[in-house]
Amino acid sequence: MDFKLTEEHIMIRDAARDFANNELLPGVIERDDKQEFPTEQIKKMGELGFMGMMASPEYGGGGMDTVSYVLAMEEISKIDASASVVMSVNNSLVCWGLDTFGNKEQKEKYLTKLTTGESIGAFCLSEPEAGSDATSQQTTAIDHGDHYILNGTKNWITNGRTADFYLVIAQTDREKKHKGINAFIVEKTWEGFEIGPKENKLGIRGSDTHSLVFNDVKVPKENRIGEDGFGFKFAMKTLAGGRIGIAAQALGIAGGAYELALKYSKERKAFGTEICNHQAIAFKLADMHVSIEAARLLVMKAAVDKDNNGNYDLSGAMAKLYASQVAMDVSVEAVQVHGGNGFVKDYHVERMMRDAKITQIYEGTSEIQKIVISRSIING
Ligand code: COS
């Protein structure tokens, strides 16, 4: 067993760290405040290769492993979790899903634009009545020979307005339950497709989250991903990898909050000494450090499982469950270490505490991760 990163991994991590500090840190507080999408920054991330890291080079992707992706996600998330969720959805849900399950024509037409950041993608599974209970899709895609007609509503869609291409999950044959579900590539400009109002969120406020409405949208048959009825498996397989990305995001939020708390505790004085010299604060720092390292091991284990073509459903779910709890705990404690300043926007940690919460909710709530984990350990 070797816990060392390769030179290439270190290079990618450092490039992401530099980008985050130089390009994302300036303005991150204002973007959160005004709910402003990081348009220019995401464009640059595309140019630097951060938007399609794991996709095949043949289609403009970086051809990198999941460990590289996780390292970059962690660094970007330390500074700006709004930018990292855009990156995460584009990389691990949209590009990976298309690269792995799309056909040559679909990849040439869509993936080549998504890997370079020229276009942005969105993943549309959740509905008003089907978030955790994902098999209960109410959006319908009725087969009309050479095309499908799509009707329904999707909720809480990351990149809702910014995206150009949407991977949409819908029910074609209700009798067949989850085996009658399909996944489609839908273009923004198609008639009958409407973008609902932007959600006013607690955290990751720089990302744009919308509901989407499909009114008799005509989807050509060649835009279905995989065989008829493959849609639910497509969603589950794609989300299993997506969860590793969100676990890395949680790890980054925790790491960012911890680094700020450590720095502040060495500067701020109380009772005649820096507050890190008080055991009450020193022990908080120790607990934060240990939990972040434990989360890192779980996240890396899941990434390595994915890279080794193993089954990463269990390790990805464990990584997300644990890292998202650590992000919550560490960011709350980081606010506490900062005292009154922690409650003020200028010090960043209150934003990180707000951003952390969503990692326990999206791409499968913590309760869903426990379903995945418990089924896996009980059924083997
Ligand atoms: N990979 C491949 N196939 C999978 C899978 C996975 N990770 N997980 C489930 N499946 C398959 C099952 O094998 C089953 O297919 P078969 O009938 O052919 O065996 C099918 O999917 C249905 O699975 P299951 O019976 O376990 O479905 P449930 O309704 O019990 O739901 C959970 C399973 C809860 C795990 C699933 O609905 C889920 O992940 N929900 C959360 C979805 C989510 O993350 N929402 C957030 C939206 S994205 S921000």
Side-chain angles (χ1 to χ4, degrees):
M1 195 180 293
D2 187 355
F3 287 98
K4 277 201 188 113
L5 295 173
T6 63
E7 271 180 32
E8 197 187 336
H9 287 146
I10 292 169
M11 237 171 60
I12 292 162
R13 184 198 62 194
D14 291 352
R17 186 177 291 170
D18 288 348
F19 178 81
N21 282 309
N22 296 333
E23 305 282 347
L24 291 170
L25 187 57
V28 66
I29 294 172
E30 292 72 23
R31 290 195 300 275
D32 168 76
D33 207 25
K34 296 182 187 152
Q35 300 193 77
E36 215 172 270
F37 188 87
T39 309
E40 282 310 306
Q41 292 82 349
I42 294 293
K43 195 165 164 270
K44 282 189 189 158
M45 283 167 71
E47 287 160 8
L48 289 169
F50 287 125
M51 296 306 278
M53 294 181 70
M54 295 173 289
S56 311
E58 196 185 340
Y59 299 104
M64 293 178 213
D65 59 10
T66 315
V67 170
S68 304
Y69 167 59
V70 154
L71 289 167
M73 270 298 294
E74 183 186 349
E75 293 304 323
I76 302 285
S77 306
K78 275 185 186 174
I79 303 293
D80 187 349
S82 293
S84 77
V85 71
V86 179
M87 172 179 167
S88 161
V89 166
N90 204 69
N91 272 276
S92 41
L93 297 183
V94 180
C95 287
W96 188 85
L98 272 178
D99 199 23
T100 310
F101 300 112
N103 61 34
K104 194 167 179 295
E105 291 72 33
Q106 292 169 345
K107 290 186 208 184
E108 272 167 4
K109 188 166 178 192
Y110 298 109
L111 187 57
T112 46
K113 293 188 178 139
L114 290 159
T115 49
T116 55
E118 182 188 335
S119 302
I120 299 288
F123 184 85
C124 315
L125 173 70
S126 296
E127 299 187 352
E129 309 269 329
S132 292
D133 183 8
T135 54
S136 297
Q137 293 290 302
Q138 300 302 310
T139 297
T140 54
I142 304 304
D143 192 338
H144 285 260
D146 66 345
H147 66 273
Y148 290 86
I149 295 292
L150 196 59
N151 276 293
T153 303
K154 295 288 174 183
N155 267 29
W156 312 293
I157 305 302
T158 301
N159 301 341
R161 183 172 291 283
T162 316
D164 306 281
F165 308 131
Y166 299 77
L167 303 189
V168 182
I169 317 295
Q171 187 80 49
T172 295
D173 187 341
R174 204 167 292 288
E175 299 238 307
K176 290 188 185 160
K177 299 188 176 155
H178 69 267
K179 291 190 168 114
I181 290 175
N182 278 308
F184 303 95
I185 308 161
V186 174
E187 297 185 20
K188 185 187 220 160
T189 52
W190 287 351
E191 210 180 320
F193 177 34
E194 281 169 34
I195 297 164
K198 185 168 170 166
E199 302 290 356
N200 186 0
K201 308 190 296 281
L202 172 74
I204 55 163
R205 288 167 57 82
S207 69
D208 66 325
T209 310
H210 290 258
S211 55
L212 306 174
V213 183
F214 303 92
N215 278 318
D216 287 334
V217 177
K218 188 174 171 185
V219 183
K221 207 155 231 177
E222 60 260 28
N223 276 36
R224 188 186 73 209
I225 301 171
E227 294 297 308
D228 184 29
F230 180 64
F232 192 71
K233 291 233 164 164
F234 169 80
M236 289 297 108
K237 284 259 59 105
T238 306
L239 273 172
R243 287 167 186 165
I244 303 175
I246 300 304
Q249 181 187 46
L251 178 63
I253 295 171
Y258 161 75
E259 284 172 16
L260 287 173
L262 179 62
K263 182 167 174 284
Y264 185 83
S265 75
K266 290 180 179 177
E267 291 165 2
R268 169 81 176 176
K269 287 189 177 155
F271 303 101
T273 183
E274 289 78 14
I275 60 171
C276 63
N277 296 323
H278 297 299
Q279 200 175 61
I281 301 299
F283 279 14
K284 281 188 198 302
L285 296 169
D287 286 340
M288 288 179 188
H289 187 71
V290 173
S291 62
I292 290 169
E293 280 306 299
R296 175 170 293 110
L297 292 176
L298 282 175
V299 174
M300 284 300 169
K301 167 71 166 55
V304 170
D305 280 351
K306 184 156 174 282
D307 287 334
N308 289 343
N309 296 318
N311 184 344
Y312 51 88
D313 291 358
L314 173 63
S315 51
M318 290 200 297
K320 182 178 183 291
L321 176 69
Y322 188 72
S324 60
Q325 184 62 53
V326 169
M328 226 32 256
D329 294 346
V330 167
S331 58
V332 167
E333 285 296 67
V335 171
Q336 192 68 19
V337 170
H338 280 76
N341 281 331
F343 212 62
V344 173
K345 287 187 189 276
D346 297 0
Y347 286 80
H348 297 281
V349 285
E350 64 81 34
R351 184 186 73 256
M352 292 170 170
M353 184 178 83
R354 289 185 285 105
D355 288 348
K357 186 61 203 169
I358 192 62
T359 64
Q360 295 186 307
I361 298 173
Y362 58 19
E363 298 198 27
T365 61
S366 293
E367 291 73 17
I368 288 292
Q369 306 314 320
K370 287 185 189 178
I371 293 179
V372 174
I373 295 163
S374 59
R375 281 185 185 175
S376 174
I377 56 181
I378 292 165
N379 302 329

